Structure formats: structure tokens, C-alpha cells
Amino acid sequence: MKKLHIIVSLTLVVLSIILFIQLKEANKKIEIHKATELAIFRGAIHDYTNDLSFIGESLLAYRDDFTIEENELYNQLLSSYSLRINRIGTRLIYIKHVNPTDSFIYEGYIHFIENLLSDEEFIIYTEVQKHEIGSILKKYGMEISNQFSGQIDYEDETKMKFLLEIISNMNEEISKVLNEA
């Protein structure tokens, strides 16, 4: 009977050690996974702010007196920016299983710019309107970049709300310009 207690005790100790080691390994994997997702998120926001500046510059370069060929090239450029914004959304959706808000960020906030650029009616807006929108995009792109400079964490609700507020304000300003048409 004594041998049985010793064997059972040793078995429990060995199993406890094995489980403890597995738990530590699982925690390491979770931390690596979270770090990867955070890097994806930060990269997406960084790319978004850069794209806002590029799009803003492109809109500021628009002229009503473009030739047909120049207009076609210009519209292709805007279409390529729309695809870039879509890819950013794809990256955010990729990590939504950990943080469902990230999908909402794209659909509720970032998608607005993608829709704007891919909308066929965007072509009819005037040079002045496109310049105004370009200025707005540059201004808010710089604001996001200055406020966060790669240090945003999707688990920090205060910073996330602030980021979403900035993007929402940008979208509202652009909507006002579009509604003036």
C-alpha cells in the first residue's frame, strides 16, 4: 500500500511538472501571437496614415484642365489607393477574432475613404472640392501620425476611442464638402 501511495504521489508530481511546463509554453505562444497581432494592427494604422497623406497630395494635384488621358491616369491612381485602403481593412479583419472592434474600425471608419475613392460620382466633383478633401486628408493623416507614431495598442480603449474620434471627424468634414455639391 505504501508503494502505491509513493507511485501515485510521484506520478502526480511528474504530471504537475509536465502540465506546468506546457502551461508556460502555451503562455509564450499566446504572447507571441498577441505581439504579432499588435504589429499587424500598428502596421495597418501606420499604412493608413501614410495613405491619407498620399491620397491628399494626389487630390491637391488635381486640375480641372487635365486631358482625357491625364484624367484616366488620375482615376486609376485613385482606384489603386482605394485598393490599398481595402488591403488595410483585410489586415484588420484578419485579427478580428481576438478583437472584434478591429473589423468595426474598417467597416465603420476606414471604409469611408475606400468608398469615396471608388465611387464613380467622385469624378464629377470640382477641383476645389477635391483640393478641400485633399487638405482634410493630409491634416488628419498628420494628426493621427503625430498623436500615435506607431504606439497605438488596440487593447487601450482610451487611445482607440481617440483614434476613432479623429477618423470620424475627418469623415464628417469630408462629408460636409461632398454635401456642398
Side-chain angles (χ1 to χ4, degrees):
M1 194 67 150
K2 213 174 198 184
K3 281 185 179 183
L4 183 62
H5 279 312
I6 292 173
I7 291 173
V8 169
S9 296
L10 284 175
T11 304
L12 286 174
V13 169
V14 169
L15 284 175
S16 295
I17 291 171
I18 291 171
L19 288 174
F20 180 74
I21 292 170
Q22 287 180 340
L23 180 64
K24 283 183 78 170
E25 288 176 13
N27 283 335
K28 284 181 190 177
K29 286 180 183 180
I30 289 170
E31 290 304 315
I32 290 170
H33 188 69
K34 281 185 177 181
T36 302
E37 288 178 339
L38 183 58
I40 291 169
F41 178 79
R42 286 181 177 168
I45 297 302
H46 174 76
D47 290 348
Y48 179 67
T49 58
N50 284 341
D51 286 352
L52 290 178
S53 295
F54 295 143
I55 295 166
E57 288 291 332
S58 297
L59 291 173
L60 288 169
Y62 179 77
R63 300 286 172 251
D64 281 336
D65 62 354
F66 277 173
T67 65
I68 293 172
E69 292 84 17
E70 289 171 328
N71 263 322
E72 286 176 12
L73 288 172
Y74 184 79
N75 291 330
Q76 287 175 4
L77 175 65
L78 295 182
S79 178
S80 71
Y81 283 132
S82 177
L83 289 173
R84 284 184 52 84
I85 299 292
N86 180 272
R87 288 188 188 112
I88 290 168
T90 302
R91 284 191 282 171
L92 291 174
I93 290 171
Y94 167 75
I95 60 175
K96 80 176 184 178
H97 64 279
V98 170
N99 189 358
T101 305
D102 298 330
S103 169
F104 176 70
I105 292 170
Y106 173 66
E107 294 163 1
Y109 295 86
I110 294 175
H111 189 63
F112 176 82
I113 299 299
E114 178 188 345
N115 274 347
L116 176 69
L117 297 175
S118 62
D119 186 0
E120 290 182 13
E121 292 193 17
F122 189 70
I123 295 169
I124 65 171
Y125 291 112
T126 67
E127 179 178 324
V128 172
Q129 289 171 308
K130 289 178 182 178
H131 287 186
E132 285 180 44
I133 293 169
S135 295
I136 292 167
L137 291 173
K138 283 186 67 175
K139 176 179 86 172
Y140 282 99
M142 288 297 295
E143 184 177 349
I144 294 169
S145 182
N146 291 337
Q147 291 292 332
F148 299 105
S149 59
Q151 299 306 311
I152 188 161
D153 185 346
Y154 57 79
E155 292 178 343
D156 184 340
E157 286 188 36
T158 304
K159 284 185 178 180
M160 284 300 297
K161 285 180 183 177
F162 188 56
L163 171 67
L164 297 179
E165 183 179 312
I166 292 171
I167 295 172
S168 179
N169 291 340
M170 176 187 71
N171 292 346
E172 286 175 22
E173 277 190 46
I174 291 170
S175 291
K176 286 179 187 173
V177 171
L178 297 175
N179 290 331
E180 292 173 1

